[in-house]
Amino acid sequence: MEDNVRKELIQSFKKAVTLGKENNFYVDCNYLSKKETSIRKDQMNSDIGKDNDTGIKLRIWDGDKFLESASSKFDEKTIMLLTEELIELAKKSSITQRKELKIDTKNVEKSVSFEEETLDLEYITKTIETYNKKIKELHEAVVNARGIVLQRVEEHIFVNEYKQVHQKIPNSLLAMVGFIQTPKGESKMVYESYVSRTFQENLDKFNNDLPHIKGKIEAMLKAKKLKGGKYKVLLAPHLTGLLAHESFGHGMEADTMLKNRALASQYLGKKIGKDFINIVDYPALEGKHGEFYFDHDGQEAQKTYLVKNGVINTPMADMYSKTNLDLEKSSNSRMEAFDHKNYTRMSNTYFEPGTKPWTELLESIDDGILITDSSGGMEDPKGWGVQIQGNFGQRIKNGKLVDEYYDGFTLTGFLPDIVGHIEDISKEFHIEGGGNCGKGHKEWVRVSEGGPYMLINEVILG
Amino acid sequence: MKQEQLQLNQKDYVEEQLQELLEKEEISFYRIIDSTSRKNNFYVEKEYSIESVLKSQRDELIVTVKTKDEETLGESSFTLIPQHTKEDIDQEIKDALFICSQSRNKLYNEITSDDEIVKDSHIDYNSFIDSKVKDDFNNNTINLFIEEKLQNFKSIIKEESSDDTVIRLNAMELLTSLTKKQLRTSTKITKEYEKDSAYLEIVLTAIEKSGKESEHILYQKINNLYTFNYEGFLRDAITKIKDALHAIKPASYEGEIELKGTACLDFFNPDLTMNAYIAHCSSRLIYQKLSNYKINEQAIKNIKKDKLTVSINPLLPHNNASTPFDADGIAAQKITLINNNKIENFFASNQYAQYLNINPTGPMGPLEIERGTLSEELNEGIEIHTFSSFVPDMLSGNFSAEVRLGYIVKDGKKTPFKGGLFTGNIFKLLENCELSKEVVEETGYKGPKAIKFYEGELVGLD
């Protein structure tokens, strides 16, 4: 968005907020623009597209609930018309005793903007073509190879009585996939994905990993079904991140607690694991998939310790939950797009690192599984169940990785059992993953995956 | 705003520019999808209080342009929003032409208004929209229906609660939308349709005198807002939540496993992916060498019991997943993919149909699966009603899903359980299964209400 257009939009938003105030109502305004250029290229097909999801949302607090109006039109006339409609609606609400919203009254006028990578499509498509060819040549079992590049820019403006904030965050995702066919005719895939500020940065990381991909293809060809049961596991950073996310990530969302849907609300201040267990949500991690500097309630990004020294600590929250649960600052209000509701959402959620090298954790395992890849998970904040599925793993025997592989299995169990069995974590710490997180089965927002390696003494795989 | 605003004239301007490029032969084809989507969403938290009400309108033009030479075709799409200026549109078209030069695929011919496959006299366009929903959107009266439903829910929940077990509604979301889409192409195809859709999510908690609690989440895409059986939906949820209060941890088990309710629906029509036997019928996967399916061959090897007959039917009346035409303008029709376990057709867009020299099939729409032979209730084994999330690998067919609610059946007596993993391979399981005689219709699915696998596996929590 050009500077002059942005300034005019902010002026219109300020007029809407003032009109609300003149009528004794709190009004806030969000502009959210998500632009994406996607390049998907395999050895048979090429697909390049541009997407633009842009609009505004205005909210008014009638003393009991938010009345919201969203539009893909955002000229001043539309903004003022929507504001007037909302004020009329709020006046009609029969609220006898208005509840005061818990608003952060610190005045903030700030813009955080990162330079966009100049998109050289010709270079990107030619590079993907070259690397697809390299993947195909790695092994005769590879039937096709695909490169996926998502170049995204998210721009956001929030205005209320106290805040006038703007952020522009470019982000690049690269996924390289090799499709293989086993001698039995089964189709499988091997992939690596990276997230950073630029395509080039991701490509450099893939170049480092390329020599290992042949081994990964061979391992996938040998992979067999894992016999269900309890195992000692070493989780790679991607998996540790998923565990943080599905366990005390979703379980510590205040809007879930408000609806009596999170068991963790009964355990606030209680110890659930060893002293070294710290789970954090921190949006302001530069170049990571869940990066932002202001949430969609205008709150400045801050680190929230969900679990500190093994004790369940502070929930993440949005404005509505803060108001109803009397919680302090947290920067976790997010909406999927401009025409969606704000919910309490995670950003970059991870276990903090430990002090030992990961190899020391590996060497301590007599018989277990190193789990390196996964396709996703599902939360159960009320029942404290965990599901992390589509995993790929390698057997560990006598402290060494052996030539035995498993795929397509799921990690599950009762959360306190899993957390209680966490034995150690590594000093190595990597956040590379770029996933999308749903609230249940919808409301997708970008989050990252990663953290340290983690040794768990006993967990159910099947 | 200082820049020239087009808004109302935007559509004409885009089409004029594209027409000019077509005449100069700088492009070979264009397509405009003109879409307006309105939402009316209600979010309710515990004690039946409304947390927020969201209204929105999203207007967008999704433009596709193509360029061709003797052997290849380039394609690019972009989205225009009302705020785009004349300069923005010129830039988007310029970028699209460049993308076309980078994204080259094997040449194929465009569908024109003269082609038989676009003729749609067999389609009842009124079957995609409920006129009452449309009227209520226009008159802003949907909220009256929601308020009435909330009162109904309140009285049912009160009726189902007892001194021993209290039932609570912890959250409810009812999201309604009305979409109008018009397709215009340079090959003189002009079509449009209107469609309504709704989504309901209910979270219930059951609390025993002892303080023991259980939670059940039901989410459903609703085919018809006014005729949907809300009472049946709620009472079914209450039965399940009461059962969940007494759920035990399951032991590992191998043998007969029957999927019912949402578990059966998730198996046939998973939310986030395709079932593997459907994915392998994709012409795109065939062309990309990722599927080994061949016409007239068996879909599932070594079938012992019921054989699958699977169709795609985008003409199922008032089904949310139904749609009258695809992006190429090809009219919807019912297509049988697998007939009595024999692969009969691949679903194909115009592009992949021409690559494989088969007929294009139009939009996918809901899956229709023929009923089977199963009529008796399970006497001994495992019944699964709800998964946490069922996301099979669509290439290999491997899956492993955590059970949210199931029953251990012994001598016809059912004991509820929660947790454990239903694991296996879809192709393998379908070799030895029975489909129920009774069928259900939900969004995206019409088919058996239950499926019984004779060689199922559950990894327990023991």
Side-chain angles (χ1 to χ4, degrees):
Chain A
M1 183 183 259
E2 288 171 22
D3 283 353
N4 62 329
V5 180
R6 188 173 78 237
K7 279 176 190 159
E8 286 180 30
L9 180 60
I10 289 173
Q11 284 312 312
S12 303
F13 278 172
K14 283 166 92 170
K15 282 182 187 171
V17 170
T18 305
L19 187 62
K21 205 179 169 195
E22 283 166 3
N23 284 276
N24 296 317
F25 290 109
Y26 168 85
V27 168
D28 66 26
C29 312
N30 269 292
Y31 161 88
L32 186 59
S33 170
K34 293 179 167 188
K35 291 182 183 167
E36 177 179 281
T37 301
S38 60
I39 301 133
R40 292 176 171 83
K41 195 168 178 58
D42 61 36
Q43 297 200 298
M44 320 290 288
N45 236 77
S46 172
D47 185 1
I48 305 177
K50 284 173 78 179
D51 196 23
N52 184 343
D53 187 339
T54 299
I56 56 154
K57 189 174 85 170
L58 312 176
R59 292 192 303 187
I60 192 163
W61 177 250
D62 74 355
D64 180 55
K65 61 183 173 296
F66 277 118
L67 302 168
E68 313 186 14
S69 193
S71 173
S72 51
K73 289 181 188 164
F74 43 89
D75 54 291
E76 185 168 310
K77 198 177 156 195
T78 305
I79 290 169
M80 296 316 289
L81 192 70
L82 294 178
T83 311
E84 283 162 15
E85 281 175 6
L86 285 173
I87 290 170
E88 283 312 305
L89 269 176
K91 281 180 179 172
K92 283 181 193 164
S93 298
S94 50
I95 311 299
T96 47
Q97 201 170 2
R98 278 201 199 179
K99 195 185 286 178
E100 280 300 311
L101 261 183
K102 194 154 189 177
I103 309 166
D104 179 15
T105 54
K106 184 182 157 195
N107 283 302
V108 180
E109 192 177 330
K110 204 170 172 182
S111 175
V112 178
S113 188
F114 294 93
E115 203 176 329
E116 273 179 70
E117 181 182 17
T118 308
L119 204 58
D120 186 343
L121 275 179
E122 192 172 355
Y123 168 69
I124 294 176
T125 48
K126 288 224 157 67
T127 306
I128 295 296
E129 207 172 296
T130 308
Y131 279 85
N132 279 345
K133 211 172 157 193
K134 283 185 185 180
I135 294 172
K136 179 88 168 59
E137 283 165 358
L138 283 176
H139 201 283
E140 59 184 13
V142 180
V143 291
N144 199 349
R146 181 180 296 158
I148 300 166
V149 179
L150 303 178
Q151 295 285 117
R152 297 171 289 203
V153 181
E154 191 168 314
E155 191 164 9
H156 170 231
I157 295 167
F158 177 90
V159 175
N160 71 3
E161 191 184 342
Y162 307 99
K163 305 275 191 287
Q164 187 186 303
V165 295
H166 164 253
Q167 57 191 333
K168 186 177 173 186
I169 303 165
N171 183 279
S172 178
L173 180 144
L174 169 69
M176 297 300 301
V177 190
F179 297 97
I180 59 173
Q181 204 142 66
T182 68
K184 286 180 186 170
E186 286 176 295
S187 298
K188 292 183 175 184
M189 60 181 183
V190 170
Y191 68 93
E192 295 292 344
S193 71
Y194 312 89
V195 173
S196 71
R197 192 69 80 209
T198 65
F199 169 73
Q200 195 56 50
E201 207 178 317
N202 291 333
L203 189 67
D204 292 345
K205 288 176 190 166
F206 179 66
N207 264 323
N208 286 337
D209 287 344
L210 190 60
H212 310 295
I213 298 204
K214 187 179 179 187
K216 211 168 168 181
I217 293 166
E218 284 167 352
M220 187 56 95
L221 285 167
K222 289 178 193 167
K224 53 189 181 183
K225 186 172 159 46
L226 181 74
K227 187 173 163 44
K230 287 179 179 167
Y231 291 87
K232 184 176 266 197
V233 298
L234 184 58
L235 301 182
H238 173 67
L239 269 291
T240 309
L242 266 171
L243 182 62
H245 182 98
E246 303 299 351
S247 60
F248 289 102
H250 281 293
M252 290 292 276
E253 290 166 340
D255 58 352
T256 308
M257 289 182 166
L258 178 64
K259 290 163 187 161
N260 189 28
R261 296 201 50 215
L263 200 56
S265 56
Q266 296 166 27
Y267 286 78
L268 293 174
K270 291 185 182 165
K271 195 149 178 86
I272 47 95
K274 295 191 169 67
D275 286 349
F276 60 77
I277 296 176
N278 293 300
I279 304 180
V280 167
D281 184 88
Y282 187 40
L285 282 184
E286 223 179 297
K288 302 303 176 194
H289 208 231
E291 174 189 16
F292 60 83
Y293 296 87
F294 310 99
D295 75 0
H296 295 160
D297 286 340
Q299 189 74 52
E300 280 182 282
Q302 59 198 303
K303 196 180 259 192
T304 306
Y305 274 88
L306 311 176
V307 176
K308 197 164 192 181
N309 303 328
V311 174
I312 298 190
N313 194 47
T314 307
M316 295 167 283
D318 63 291
M319 196 188 286
Y320 185 83
S321 312
K322 282 176 204 168
T323 300
N324 286 284
L325 293 173
D326 197 23
L327 295 169
E328 293 308 311
K329 288 176 189 176
S330 149
S331 50
N332 293 88
S333 176
R334 298 178 78 183
M335 47 188 180
E336 178 187 303
F338 72 88
D339 53 356
H340 285 241
K341 181 184 172 295
N342 294 44
Y343 293 87
T344 304
R345 306 306 303 270
M346 280 174 270
S347 58
N348 305 300
T349 313
Y350 52 86
F351 285 88
E352 284 191 328
T355 53
K356 292 179 189 166
W358 82 278
T359 46
E360 201 172 308
L361 271 54
L362 174 76
E363 283 158 13
S364 72
I365 300 173
D366 291 337
D367 187 9
I369 312 269
L370 168 68
I371 309 179
T372 53
D373 294 77
S374 169
S375 63
M378 182 46 100
E379 75 271 21
D380 179 12
K382 186 73 177 176
W384 269 1
V386 177
Q387 168 177 328
I388 296 174
Q389 80 261 353
N391 301 301
F392 180 79
Q394 185 172 4
R395 194 100 197 180
I396 304 163
K397 274 186 181 161
N398 302 319
K400 287 189 175 133
L401 290 164
V402 297
D403 196 26
E404 212 174 295
Y405 307 92
Y406 307 93
D407 71 336
F409 58 92
T410 290
L411 181 155
T412 192
F414 186 50
L415 189 54
D417 292 345
I418 296 174
V419 176
H421 282 113
I422 295 174
E423 189 62 30
D424 220 335
I425 48 177
S426 75
K427 64 177 182 182
E428 291 86 359
F429 181 84
H430 307 286
I431 295 183
E432 299 291 352
N436 287 302
C437 162
K439 191 99 170 164
H441 298 262
K442 58 181 184 65
E443 309 296 341
W444 300 97
V445 294
R446 278 171 19 198
V447 294
S448 68
E449 291 145 10
Y453 285 81
M454 174 179 282
L455 172 61
I456 310 180
N457 263 336
E458 188 179 281
V459 76
I460 294 165
L461 305 178
Chain B
M1 306 236 173
K2 293 186 183 77
Q3 285 170 294
E4 187 185 352
Q5 293 294 315
L6 291 170
Q7 293 190 12
L8 289 175
N9 298 325
Q10 190 189 50
K11 294 170 190 176
D12 294 339
Y13 180 75
V14 174
E15 201 141 2
E16 275 168 27
Q17 297 306 302
L18 296 174
Q19 195 60 41
E20 204 176 296
L21 287 170
L22 194 72
E23 281 158 18
K24 286 197 275 183
E25 294 186 359
E26 285 182 41
I27 61 171
S28 59
F29 172 85
Y30 71 79
R31 172 174 62 220
I32 298 172
I33 296 173
D34 184 350
S35 167
T36 296
S37 177
R38 287 189 281 161
K39 285 184 190 175
N40 236 319
N41 294 348
F42 298 84
Y43 305 89
V44 177
E45 58 151 319
K46 58 186 179 184
E47 309 308 331
Y48 310 93
S49 61
I50 292 177
E51 176 185 344
S52 63
V53 178
L54 168 66
K55 281 184 188 178
S56 72
Q57 179 158 333
R58 178 189 279 257
D59 299 289
E60 57 192 13
L61 293 182
I62 301 160
V63 181
T64 302
V65 295
K66 298 184 187 179
T67 63
K68 69 176 180 182
D69 55 32
E70 281 176 6
E71 289 180 349
T72 64
L73 186 139
E75 178 175 343
S76 175
S77 294
F78 56 91
T79 306
L80 295 175
I81 60 167
Q83 227 62 20
H84 273 132
T85 63
K86 185 180 166 186
E87 288 77 17
D88 293 332
I89 293 170
D90 291 341
Q91 187 60 49
E92 289 288 354
I93 293 174
K94 197 177 155 194
D95 289 350
L97 292 179
F98 180 69
I99 288 173
C100 282
S101 72
Q102 301 302 312
S103 176
R104 307 303 293 181
N105 286 314
K106 195 173 142 186
L107 189 65
Y108 61 91
N109 297 318
E110 296 303 335
I111 305 288
T112 75
S113 57
D114 295 331
D115 288 315
E116 273 306 305
I117 46 175
V118 301
K119 303 278 187 318
D120 57 6
S121 54
H122 62 290
I123 296 175
D124 174 11
Y125 277 76
N126 290 324
S127 73
F128 300 94
I129 179 108
D130 182 331
S131 57
K132 181 163 167 39
V133 175
K134 191 178 168 182
D135 289 346
D136 281 349
F137 254 89
N138 292 334
N139 300 329
N140 272 327
T141 45
I142 290 253
N143 60 319
L144 300 176
F145 173 76
I146 310 297
E147 281 158 19
E148 184 197 315
K149 279 293 143 222
L150 260 181
Q151 288 310 312
N152 287 354
F153 284 3
K154 202 171 180 175
S155 52
I156 292 169
I157 287 170
K158 195 176 169 192
E159 190 187 310
E160 294 278 352
S161 289
S162 65
D163 289 345
D164 294 331
T165 310
V166 175
I167 309 295
R168 279 199 187 137
L169 178 83
N170 277 347
M172 185 184 103
E173 294 189 358
L174 184 60
L175 318 181
T176 62
S177 71
L178 190 70
T179 305
K180 186 176 179 180
K181 277 194 176 163
Q182 188 190 54
L183 169 74
R184 299 193 298 276
T185 74
S186 57
T187 52
K188 312 290 179 214
I189 297 171
T190 304
K191 291 181 168 199
E192 69 173 54
Y193 72 98
E194 279 186 285
K195 188 171 166 174
D196 65 284
S197 63
Y199 171 88
L200 175 66
E201 188 173 291
I202 291 180
V203 184
L204 293 171
T205 305
I207 308 157
E208 271 190 335
K209 252 184 182 174
S210 61
K212 194 177 171 190
E213 290 185 30
S214 69
E215 181 188 82
H216 197 69
I217 308 165
L218 272 120
Y219 59 95
Q220 176 110 27
K221 286 174 185 157
I222 293 174
N223 289 331
N224 193 308
L225 187 67
Y226 293 115
T227 59
F228 178 71
N229 181 6
Y230 293 92
E231 186 174 340
F233 181 74
L234 186 62
R235 289 198 193 273
D236 181 49
I238 291 170
T239 306
K240 285 186 174 131
I241 196 175
K242 284 180 177 172
D243 283 350
L245 269 174
H246 311 290
I248 60 169
K249 287 183 180 179
S252 291
Y253 166 87
E254 284 181 24
E256 290 183 17
I257 294 184
E258 189 168 324
L259 308 185
K260 285 185 162 182
T262 55
C264 179
L265 187 69
D266 283 348
F267 179 82
F268 283 116
N269 194 25
D271 221 18
L272 299 176
T273 182
M274 269 184 195
N275 198 310
Y277 63 88
I278 301 292
H280 282 255
C281 288
S282 155
S283 56
R284 189 179 176 126
L285 257 64
I286 303 278
Y287 179 69
Q288 291 170 336
K289 298 181 179 174
L290 303 178
S291 165
N292 289 328
Y293 268 19
K294 290 185 175 66
I295 298 293
N296 289 332
E297 287 193 355
Q298 289 190 331
I300 308 294
K301 312 289 178 207
N302 312 314
I303 285 260
K304 297 184 180 93
K305 288 196 163 63
D306 283 355
K307 294 177 178 174
L308 279 181
T309 293
V310 183
S311 305
I312 48 171
N313 188 0
L315 293 175
L316 269 181
H318 298 291
N319 192 300
N320 257 337
S322 291
T323 180
F325 51 85
D326 71 2
D328 294 310
I330 299 169
Q333 54 183 324
K334 182 177 172 177
I335 301 281
T336 301
L337 302 176
I338 299 168
N339 192 351
N340 215 15
N341 195 35
K342 195 167 84 175
I343 300 159
E344 207 164 82
N345 284 295
F346 299 135
F347 60 90
S349 64
N350 173 46
Q351 179 184 7
Y352 289 97
Q354 289 190 37
Y355 290 171
L356 297 181
N357 201 22
I358 58 175
N359 292 323
T361 52
M364 271 206 67
L367 278 184
E368 229 182 309
I369 297 176
E370 290 288 311
R371 69 184 72 223
T373 56
L374 181 70
S375 58
E376 285 177 5
E377 285 284 310
L378 198 66
N379 190 50
E380 199 90 27
I382 296 279
E383 228 180 69
I384 298 172
H385 285 239
T386 321
F387 293 118
S388 296
S389 172
F390 186 81
V391 190
D393 181 327
M394 71 174 191
L395 290 182
S396 68
N398 290 330
F399 70 90
S400 188
E402 187 193 31
V403 178
R404 275 284 161 91
L405 181 67
Y407 297 87
I408 298 159
V409 188
K410 260 190 181 167
D411 297 326
K413 193 178 164 258
K414 293 179 182 178
T415 306
F417 74 89
K418 181 179 184 294
L421 296 166
F422 175 50
T423 180
N425 179 279
I426 282 167
F427 295 110
K428 191 80 192 147
L429 275 177
L430 287 171
E431 288 177 4
N432 197 2
C433 74
E434 277 185 294
L435 305 164
S436 69
K437 276 184 183 169
E438 202 180 346
V439 296
V440 286
E441 184 180 341
E442 307 280 5
T443 295
Y445 175 77
K446 187 178 179 186
K449 202 175 180 180
I451 179 167
K452 181 160 91 175
F453 304 108
Y454 282 82
E455 292 163 61
E457 184 186 350
L458 183 88
V459 176
L461 297 175
D462 52 346

